[in-house]
Amino acid sequence: FGSFHDVGFPFIYHNELGYGYLLNGPDEAIYYWNSDLGWLYTNPDLFPFLYPPATDDWLYLLQDPDGSWLYDYSPGNWFPLN
């Protein structure tokens, strides 16, 4: 799921996605929520692909030292992360 810091589990700071709430699901599933992206689902076999159930679409997390980006497959757009 990438690098993150425990700031009082289940609250974390993810290096690319920012502050959020983390839930561990069955079979190594990860559910992550933050105020900008809502709920995201991934697991070790899928990451860096993320699934936001609210939009029924897939996202790709590009981790870059100069700034991270999300690619949204539905419209085919990249957008920067803070």
Side-chain angles (χ1 to χ4, degrees):
F1 180 59
S3 298
F4 63 89
H5 307 280
D6 181 350
V7 293
F9 190 81
F11 297 98
I12 65 166
Y13 180 80
H14 190 279
N15 288 0
E16 285 78 29
L17 300 171
Y19 286 99
Y21 183 84
L22 184 69
L23 292 175
N24 293 316
D27 300 322
E28 298 183 324
I30 295 170
Y31 297 91
Y32 171 80
W33 179 88
N34 83 15
S35 60
D36 293 328
L37 300 169
W39 283 105
L40 300 172
Y41 164 82
T42 194
N43 68 36
D45 294 328
L46 292 173
F47 188 78
F49 293 93
L50 306 165
Y51 177 75
T55 61
D56 194 29
D57 193 7
W58 283 95
L59 305 172
Y60 176 78
L61 176 61
L62 177 65
Q63 300 167 302
D64 189 295
D66 295 327
S68 297
W69 294 76
L70 277 178
Y71 182 76
D72 189 334
Y73 282 88
S74 180
N77 294 334
W78 287 97
F79 60 95
L81 295 170
N82 297 339

